[in-house]
Amino acid sequence: TLGGGTGPQSGFGDVQGLDTWVYYPSSETILNFNVREADLKIDKAPNTQTVTPGGQVSFTITVTNAGPSPLTQETVNGVQIDNRATVTDNFDANITNPTWTCNPAPNCQNANGTGNINTRVALPPNGTATFTVTGTLPAGVAPGTTLNNTARVARPPDSTDPVDDDQQGNEGNNNRPNPGERDTVQITVGTGGTIGDRVFNDANNNNVEDPGE
């Protein structure tokens, strides 16, 4: 021990220690790590063939896991781990009162909802989840207005996507912490009628683009 104050040291070296090592025989422990790999894809297509002010607009969103790993919930050592994919879709401001359904229901965190989509889906290898979206255009929306709508699917943490850019407008980037896929649909509001994103003058109001229209 050391003396106090500024005086000389006293009692230094009066403590002895001994390190004791004990050999305990044990078996080798092997840790196995399973890295999930799931090729996610998303497709969004309009169901509405005629888009007019005050009318209805509808989309179908299809999310697919091409595998090889499942993206589902699992229990490890009594702890439930959520490895489901996340689907999001923030609808164009001109699409009012949007409602949606998700099928098959057992694969969906929420089988239906209102407003923007932000939910999880369980996707076994080659499994799919399909969302059907319906909304209304305000009566005062101006003809020629373009509706932009993008749906996205993101893989869970600790999962990789071997093809992280297999949709148009993808935002795949392996340098991002959780890259994903996206698909964007654009629809132009017509004065009389539209088919997809093609505008025409529906002179006879039959909702069909006839020659000369």
Side-chain angles (χ1 to χ4, degrees):
T1 59
L2 297 177
T6 60
Q9 299 179 352
S10 64
F12 183 76
D14 63 341
V15 177
Q16 296 180 348
L18 176 65
D19 289 335
T20 303
W21 296 86
V22 178
Y23 172 73
Y24 181 81
S26 60
S27 60
E28 179 181 349
T29 300
I30 299 176
L31 299 177
N32 294 315
F33 295 92
N34 182 22
V35 178
R36 290 179 298 274
E37 184 180 69
D39 184 9
L40 291 176
K41 300 179 182 180
I42 189 168
D43 179 73
K44 183 169 187 176
N47 299 327
T48 310
Q49 297 300 312
T50 302
V51 182
T52 56
Q56 193 175 73
V57 60
S58 177
F59 302 95
T60 295
I61 304 167
T62 304
V63 184
T64 305
N65 175 16
S69 300
L71 295 182
T72 57
Q73 290 179 302
E74 59 180 324
T75 301
V76 179
N77 295 328
V79 178
Q80 189 175 60
I81 301 176
D82 195 342
N83 293 322
R84 294 175 294 181
T86 300
V87 179
T88 57
D89 194 336
N90 294 324
F91 301 116
D92 190 286
N94 286 306
I95 301 177
T96 61
N97 302 317
T99 62
W100 50 268
T101 61
C102 177
N103 288 288
N107 287 16
C108 306
Q109 180 183 28
N110 303 104
N112 56 71
T114 60
N116 295 328
I117 297 175
N118 187 350
T119 189
R120 294 179 178 180
V121 291
L123 298 171
N126 300 314
T128 62
T130 303
F131 293 81
T132 302
V133 182
T134 303
T136 303
L137 298 182
V141 64
T145 299
T146 299
L147 308 178
N148 292 294
N149 197 220
T150 301
R152 296 176 173 86
V153 59
R155 54 182 169 80
D158 300 325
S159 298
T160 62
D161 190 332
V163 187
D164 214 10
D165 58 354
D166 42 15
Q167 285 298 347
Q168 180 181 3
N170 71 83
E171 49 184 23
N173 182 337
N174 285 321
N175 294 322
R176 288 160 42 90
N178 190 14
E181 315 287 354
R182 71 178 182 179
D183 198 8
T184 300
V185 168
Q186 290 185 334
I187 294 181
T188 302
V189 180
T191 56
T194 65
I195 296 180
D197 59 355
R198 181 175 176 80
V199 180
F200 60 94
N201 181 19
D202 192 14
N204 57 4
N205 294 318
N206 67 347
N207 295 327
V208 177
E209 186 180 12
D210 298 316
E213 292 184 344

